[in-house]
Amino acid sequence: MTTFSETTAVSPLGEGRYRAELGDAFGFETKPGGPVVLNGGYLMAVLMRAAVAESEHEHPVSTAVSFLRPGLPGPAEVVVERRREGRTASMLRASLVQGGEPLLDALVTTGTLDPDAKPAYVGEQPPMPAPEDCPPPGRARPKKGFPAQVDMRFDPAVMGWLDGDFTGRPEMRAHVRLQDGDDPDPYVLALAIDALIPVVTNAGFPGWSPTVELTWHLRALPAPGWLAVHGTGRMVNDGWSDENVEIWDAAGNLVAQSRQLARAARTRK
Amino acid sequence: MTTFSETTAVSPLGEGRYRAELGDAFGFETKPGGPVVLNGGYLMAVLMRAAVAESEHEHPVSTAVSFLRPGLPGPAEVVVERRREGRTASMLRASLVQGGEPLLDALVTTGTLDPDAKPAYVGEQPPMPAPEDCPPPGRARPKKGFPAQVDMRFDPAVMGWLDGDFTGRPEMRAHVRLQDGDDPDPYVLALAIDALIPVVTNAGFPGWSPTVELTWHLRALPAPGWLAVHGTGRMVNDGWSDENVEIWDAAGNLVAQSRQLARAARTRK
């Protein structure tokens, strides 16, 4: 099994350029045996590794990404520009490029988080049953690519849609961990934050929902163990939807927040 | 009185470059009679005008901004790169530059929204008293710059902090409109979405809270009248805070959503 840290590695080429070899481990077949399209969070993690390597700070505290084109397995390059260096935060621009075309454009802010910081204020974690009360998907799933690499235990309360029983609200939630045993780190969070079945599914819009823009913030360094990934949405309008995700770690800390803007089907099921 | 649309105008210089003359109307004096620092939402609106001018679509549906340096009144330039053109969405990179240094780096996605679209799903507007039940600020405020241009009527329930009575949660909300009579449009929304007193004030962290990154999505075209601006936060940790804002228009539609990551004081008042 390819580990996530191996398949997101980048190597410096100098002058802010980094080489990546995109694997197919975190991809989805577009049809059985067909071409593989790579998960957006995986692509984001590759890009973030290059941005952090180029920075004097250790952690990607904020990452905003435009998703321009789908990524395919094969060689790619990350081009990073340092835009401002600061003692507490540095800003970079980064692009993941394949075949001469940008796949992702990003703004990355790096900083150095204190692993022992205690929140001065934190809201409440929304409710979710424990991992042992969230069964693995009961339906046969392909055991290739992303579904084979990412162990997801969905809250049964949001999975009735498989039998046509939508909750009626944009929501989705699951416990997530990597099958390869890699513990959560900021790059695993980048994968987890875009790993859910789209929240609009439960508002009655299953299927196609490509991410256009996703911004996420690393709020604390995650503890080992399951990640509780809570997704909600506020509106589906004019073919656009929002998806808001919080990740809470196994120690009960809020570690990541995101919002993405995605396209959505115009007609409800 | 300078109108907002006049003072955010840009003129094309060719090859994706736009000239702007940053006025002091939407600035704050750093001390009485001292240098003026410009509001971040104002700078964002200037940048967005250039990005939309460079695009074949009409509306800035998503804007992600890194705030690198404060902006000062005077000449500036916006440099725009088209990165992908699509039938429903186009992506651009844009930077607002002053004195050879970038102030704001941005990722902008443009699209063309249907003014008559009706949401297929929308959540509930959080409660806020009507504008007539939200008095203008009772304390003497300087009538120069931003406070003279932007009419803000704060919900009295979140303003006890002026007398040391913090609500204990990151929250702030106000009705907002321009004094110049300009009706809300996507650029006025860019101003309004970063106009509140920082939400962390009510968690006991008044004062300094500079925005590091702000991403916002235009979800619908706003109706004329007051904008209800609802701000909340989820966590203050390790010197970083998040601020989440929704804007609802006078017709009761959710028109904009944002999250920003900001620095916050480390000690509570």
Side-chain angles (χ1 to χ4, degrees):
Chain A
M1 173 169 277
T2 312
T3 69
F4 183 70
S5 54
E6 286 164 2
T7 191
T8 54
V10 295
S11 47
L13 298 169
E15 299 188 336
R17 293 169 53 236
Y18 290 78
R19 190 190 142 76
E21 182 63 37
L22 304 181
D24 60 4
F26 290 86
F28 294 91
E29 288 183 343
T30 49
K31 55 183 178 179
V36 167
V37 171
L38 299 175
N39 170 263
Y42 167 70
L43 299 175
M44 192 158 61
V46 171
L47 176 145
M48 288 165 55
R49 284 204 190 273
V52 171
E54 194 66 18
S55 164
E56 74 278 31
H57 288 293
E58 280 182 58
H59 304 125
V61 295
S62 174
T63 305
V65 179
S66 283
F67 288 86
L68 288 80
R69 295 173 183 83
L72 307 176
E77 204 172 295
V78 187
V79 182
V80 186
E81 295 168 81
R82 299 181 194 203
R83 300 288 284 176
R84 182 179 179 278
E85 298 185 19
R87 202 171 55 84
T88 52
S90 294
M91 278 93 159
L92 308 101
R93 295 205 296 190
S95 293
L96 177 65
V97 179
Q98 190 173 53
E101 298 269 32
L103 308 183
L104 274 63
D105 279 344
L107 303 173
V108 179
T109 299
T110 59
T112 302
L113 297 180
D114 174 0
D116 299 320
K118 295 276 172 286
Y121 170 87
V122 60
E124 283 192 20
Q125 179 172 4
M128 169 139 61
E132 55 271 25
D133 298 322
C134 298
R139 311 231 169 168
R141 299 180 82 193
K143 288 296 174 196
K144 290 172 71 173
F146 190 94
Q149 295 278 354
V150 184
D151 188 359
M152 299 184 74
R153 306 292 174 90
F154 284 90
D155 179 349
V158 295
M159 292 303 280
W161 67 273
L162 286 169
D163 301 310
D165 187 13
F166 303 93
T167 69
R169 295 179 302 277
E171 60 179 334
M172 197 58 72
R173 47 190 178 268
H175 297 278
V176 173
R177 66 179 174 189
L178 290 180
Q179 295 282 19
D180 63 22
D182 269 10
D183 275 328
D185 68 10
Y187 308 99
V188 173
L189 291 178
L191 184 80
I193 214 148
D194 196 27
L196 291 177
I197 297 165
V199 297
V200 291
T201 304
N202 262 318
F205 300 87
W208 180 82
S209 180
T211 304
V212 173
E213 200 276 344
L214 187 153
T215 298
W216 78 278
H217 305 308
L218 172 67
R219 302 305 310 280
L221 300 173
W226 286 102
L227 296 170
V229 184
H230 299 257
T232 57
R234 290 290 285 159
M235 186 161 75
V236 182
N237 188 38
D238 204 8
W240 298 90
S241 64
D242 61 292
E243 174 162 329
N244 309 286
V245 174
E246 283 188 354
I247 303 182
W248 294 71
D249 72 6
N253 297 313
L254 175 59
V255 292
Q257 293 172 290
S258 74
R259 179 177 292 123
Q260 66 170 266
L261 187 68
R263 296 292 298 166
R266 284 177 184 273
T267 49
R268 195 190 295 257
K269 283 252 165 138
Chain B
M1 171 168 280
T2 313
T3 69
F4 183 72
S5 55
E6 285 163 3
T7 191
T8 54
V10 295
S11 47
L13 299 169
E15 300 187 337
R17 293 168 52 236
Y18 289 79
R19 192 191 140 77
E21 183 63 36
L22 304 181
D24 60 4
F26 290 87
F28 294 91
E29 288 182 344
T30 48
K31 54 183 179 179
V36 168
V37 171
L38 299 175
N39 170 264
Y42 166 69
L43 299 176
M44 193 158 59
V46 171
L47 176 146
M48 288 165 55
R49 283 203 189 274
V52 171
E54 194 66 18
S55 164
E56 74 277 32
H57 288 293
E58 281 181 57
H59 304 124
V61 295
S62 174
T63 304
V65 178
S66 283
F67 289 86
L68 287 80
R69 295 173 183 82
L72 308 174
E77 204 173 295
V78 187
V79 182
V80 186
E81 295 168 80
R82 300 181 195 201
R83 299 288 284 175
R84 181 180 179 278
E85 298 187 18
R87 202 170 56 85
T88 53
S90 293
M91 277 93 160
L92 307 101
R93 294 205 296 189
S95 294
L96 177 64
V97 179
Q98 189 173 53
E101 297 269 31
L103 308 182
L104 274 63
D105 279 341
L107 303 174
V108 179
T109 299
T110 59
T112 302
L113 297 180
D114 174 1
D116 299 321
K118 294 277 173 288
Y121 171 88
V122 61
E124 281 192 21
Q125 179 172 4
M128 169 140 60
E132 54 272 24
D133 298 322
C134 299
R139 312 231 166 166
R141 299 181 80 193
K143 288 296 176 200
K144 289 172 70 173
F146 191 93
Q149 295 278 353
V150 184
D151 188 359
M152 298 184 75
R153 307 292 175 89
F154 285 89
D155 178 349
V158 295
M159 292 304 279
W161 67 273
L162 286 169
D163 301 309
D165 186 13
F166 303 93
T167 69
R169 294 179 301 277
E171 60 178 334
M172 198 57 73
R173 47 190 177 268
H175 296 278
V176 173
R177 66 180 175 189
L178 290 180
Q179 295 281 19
D180 63 22
D182 269 8
D183 275 328
D185 67 10
Y187 309 99
V188 174
L189 291 178
L191 185 80
I193 213 146
D194 197 27
L196 292 177
I197 296 164
V199 297
V200 290
T201 303
N202 263 318
F205 301 87
W208 181 81
S209 181
T211 304
V212 174
E213 200 277 343
L214 187 155
T215 299
W216 78 280
H217 305 307
L218 171 68
R219 302 304 310 277
L221 299 173
W226 286 102
L227 297 169
V229 184
H230 300 258
T232 56
R234 290 290 283 160
M235 186 161 76
V236 182
N237 188 40
D238 203 9
W240 298 90
S241 64
D242 61 291
E243 174 161 330
N244 309 287
V245 174
E246 283 188 355
I247 304 182
W248 293 72
D249 72 7
N253 296 312
L254 174 59
V255 293
Q257 292 172 290
S258 75
R259 179 177 294 123
Q260 66 170 266
L261 187 68
R263 296 292 298 166
R266 284 177 185 273
T267 50
R268 195 190 296 257
K269 284 251 165 138

